[in-house]
Amino acid sequence: MATLVEIVPYDASWPRHFLMIARDLRAILGSSAIAIDHIGSTAVPGLPAKPVIDVDVILSGPSDISTASDALAAAGYEARENRYDDGVRAFLKRFATPQQRVYLCPPGNRTHERRLVFRDVLRGHAETVAAYATLKTELARKFPYDGDAYTAAKGDFINRIVGNALPDAAGLTAS
């Protein structure tokens, strides 16, 4: 069953939710998690977003991904398919409020690096936030029940922003 692509106004409680999620992930994953980062639109103050907290977890090594995946599954996270050939594993905690999407990343992962660059550019440029908010709203109307098409259609915008901020990022996967 397709899920509605719902964009809601920014919620000032999202950073607090992230901190609670990060605390829980540290308890679940222990010392194998070397960094836990709030990514995606909910990490950008003022940006309308799907009400899902996106989190990248950087693990100490690629060999930790399998163990961490098992730990997340045992904690109620549902494994999702990996859409990129980048070593990242995706999980969703659908019945949490707000929903949580967690990505387990090996160290030095370029997808993670791009996500941080994009988030940080948005955090520092109100005009880019406004343009991205407009794009997201238009795409949610255009693809109301096709999250894959919605995400893919944001790719050119994201690639342009990341490419300007990180010139050696050409050809890397958009997220």
Side-chain angles (χ1 to χ4, degrees):
M1 179 177 169
T3 303
L4 177 66
V5 176
E6 177 188 25
I7 304 297
V8 300
Y10 179 77
D11 184 333
S13 71
W14 287 337
R16 182 176 43 81
H17 285 292
F18 164 74
L19 292 174
M20 293 184 314
I21 293 165
R23 181 200 64 216
D24 293 346
L25 289 170
R26 286 218 180 273
I28 293 166
L29 301 173
S31 63
S32 68
I34 58 173
I36 300 176
D37 293 304
H38 190 183
I39 59 162
S41 295
T42 62
V44 180
L47 181 60
K50 292 187 290 183
V52 178
I53 307 295
D54 290 308
V55 180
D56 270 2
V57 177
I58 305 305
L59 298 171
S60 56
S63 61
D64 292 321
I65 290 184
S66 181
T67 303
S69 294
D70 292 343
L72 285 181
Y77 287 85
E78 151 189 342
R80 309 295 287 176
E81 69 183 72
N82 181 3
R83 296 181 181 174
Y84 314 112
D85 187 22
D86 62 357
V88 174
R89 290 213 189 146
F91 293 83
L92 178 66
K93 196 162 194 181
R94 184 183 311 271
F95 300 107
T97 303
Q99 287 185 3
Q100 306 167 26
R101 212 169 344 194
V102 175
Y103 301 92
L104 298 178
C105 305
N109 181 267
R110 296 291 284 179
T111 298
H112 170 68
E113 179 182 348
R114 287 175 51 81
R115 288 174 176 163
L116 292 181
V117 167
F118 186 63
R119 178 201 68 191
D120 292 347
V121 167
L122 290 174
R123 285 179 173 175
H125 297 90
E127 67 283 355
T128 306
V129 169
Y132 191 47
T134 299
L135 175 65
K136 289 165 54 90
T137 301
E138 290 171 1
L139 294 174
R141 281 191 209 115
K142 184 175 182 178
F143 304 110
Y145 287 97
D146 190 345
D148 290 340
Y150 165 83
T151 298
K154 296 185 303 179
D156 286 345
F157 183 92
I158 293 168
N159 288 334
R160 185 174 59 256
I161 298 302
V162 172
N164 288 338
L166 189 69
D168 65 337
L172 297 177
T173 305
S175 59

